[in-house]
Amino acid sequence: MNAEEARQVDAVLRRLGLPGVVAPEDPADPGGEWRVYDQADPETRTETTADALVGLATAYPGEAPPSGSARGDQRGPTRGFVLPPTDG
């Protein structure tokens, strides 16, 4: 995720009381990829992005995350099929 998505994910985690520290993979490059970690210390942290996503899915089973999350402001369909026209 990028820095803006990370900000939104952090807000949702805090709102739900889920554990995790959202930080850049490379602390020297905040413009790069971000992940969720168990603690802020880059030397000893462990990535927990998957656990955070499971916690979010458990909090909102079958629902969209609350507004302000990385996908909560998305417009339009989130899944489906596109069928090409048949010229027959």
Side-chain angles (χ1 to χ4, degrees), residues 1-85:
M1 74 185 103
N2 63 32
E4 177 58 24
E5 292 167 330
R7 184 190 66 74
Q8 294 172 359
V9 167
D10 184 59
V12 172
L13 290 176
R14 289 184 189 284
R15 194 171 329 144
L16 296 176
L18 296 173
V21 175
V22 183
E25 282 183 334
D26 179 0
D29 182 20
E33 288 293 310
W34 288 59
R35 302 278 183 251
V36 180
Y37 298 97
D38 62 342
Q39 59 180 312
D41 184 4
E43 299 297 320
T44 60
R45 68 187 182 189
T46 302
E47 183 182 352
T48 60
T49 303
D51 295 337
L53 293 175
V54 168
L56 181 58
T58 301
Y60 292 94
E63 299 177 34
S67 181
S69 68
R71 298 200 48 114
D73 294 333
Q74 178 175 335
R75 303 284 188 257
T78 57
R79 67 176 110 164
F81 298 95
V82 176
L83 302 174

